[in-house]
Amino acid sequence: MQDGQVVEMKGISKRFGTITALVEVDFYVAQKQVMALLGDNGAGKSTLIKILTGVHKPTRGEIYFESKRVEIASPRFARDLGIETVYQDLALVNLMSITRNFFLGREMVRELGPVRWLRIGEMDRLTRTALGQVGIDVRSPSEPVGSLSGGERQSIAIGRAMHFGAKLLILDEPTSALSVGETRKVLSYIQNAKDRGLSVIFITHNVNHCYEVSDAYTILRHGRNVGTYQKGELSQEDIANLITGEREK
């Protein structure tokens, strides 16, 4: 593993019975880098990320995290390493407040004998402060998440991952189905994450969005790595052609 890389996946292959999903894929993300992971449906993006986050075990290959070889056996193990994933469904509970969602699974409690209760005032304060530090302004931390727009919901999920010590933030199609204005905000949160020292994997179909914020691009097609390119090496048209296979670079 090269110095300065937070994660490196080497020779990753994955088979599901007779179906080959990935073939000898090499993939890496450097520290404080936004790496776009691009490809059409069925290209292998989701399978690769599920291997990195412990959902699937690779058929072959090695994973290194912060220069140490690891076997990521579960999503909890991935989270303990510092890998946080914001999926399209966001894993937010609509009827709960912003604060309750922010601390979901990490609630602050006060105990007196057998009695436990939430330290909701402190949690509200920390939620507002933590989100503000990454450029996210909420009207009230007690507001139900279900009342927020799609972009605001994305911001809560991203802010939560950043606050709880993520080293690698994986964003699964974060701008999908958002308005132009909300997309701009989410792209700014990605830049904020990088500025705060996180590495980011930005999974997307949208070449324009990835071109705007990404430092490098890895393109998968039919389960194989077409190539990894640094910003400036490819035009948007080049990227689109590599995704579809219309022209090799």
Side-chain angles (χ1 to χ4, degrees), residues 75-240:
R76 178 174 291 276
F77 185 87
R79 174 174 280 187
D80 289 344
L81 283 177
I83 301 172
E84 288 280 354
T85 307
V86 179
Y87 292 105
Q88 283 178 289
D89 60 11
L90 300 178
L92 299 178
V93 182
N94 286 339
L95 296 179
M96 285 187 176
S97 69
I98 293 172
T99 293
R100 291 296 306 276
N101 274 281
F102 193 83
F103 281 93
L104 195 62
R106 298 180 172 101
E107 291 82 359
M108 301 172 65
V109 297
R110 183 174 288 108
E111 299 185 14
L112 184 60
V115 180
R116 304 170 76 235
W117 63 92
L118 293 175
R119 294 155 58 183
I120 196 67
E122 188 173 357
M123 289 163 61
D124 279 344
R125 179 180 59 79
L126 287 174
T127 297
R128 184 184 290 278
T129 299
L131 292 176
Q133 287 175 345
V134 297
I136 301 166
D137 183 32
V138 296
R139 292 178 291 273
S140 169
S142 61
E143 186 175 1
V145 157
S147 67
L148 302 180
S149 68
E152 289 171 330
R153 288 161 56 83
Q154 280 285 354
S155 74
I156 301 304
I158 293 170
R160 178 178 66 187
M162 293 167 63
H163 177 71
F164 286 104
K167 298 174 182 176
L168 176 64
L169 179 61
I170 303 171
L171 302 177
D172 181 17
E173 299 282 357
T175 58
S176 177
L178 295 185
S179 68
V180 173
E182 290 191 318
T183 294
R184 300 296 310 170
K185 289 181 180 180
V186 170
L187 294 179
S188 74
Y189 302 146
I190 294 173
Q191 184 62 51
N192 286 345
K194 175 187 169 182
D195 292 344
R196 288 172 64 85
L198 276 73
S199 300
V200 180
I201 299 174
F202 180 17
I203 306 168
T204 183
H205 286 84
N206 192 303
V207 175
N208 294 333
H209 296 167
C210 83
Y211 201 77
E212 189 168 342
V213 298
S214 300
D215 301 303
Y217 320 98
T218 294
I219 300 166
L220 299 184
R221 190 170 69 244
H222 303 313
R224 298 177 184 271
N225 185 343
V226 175
T228 296
Y229 305 91
Q230 301 303 306
K231 189 169 188 175
E233 288 187 301
L234 301 177
S235 68
Q236 293 187 47
E237 183 180 4
D238 290 332
I239 295 172

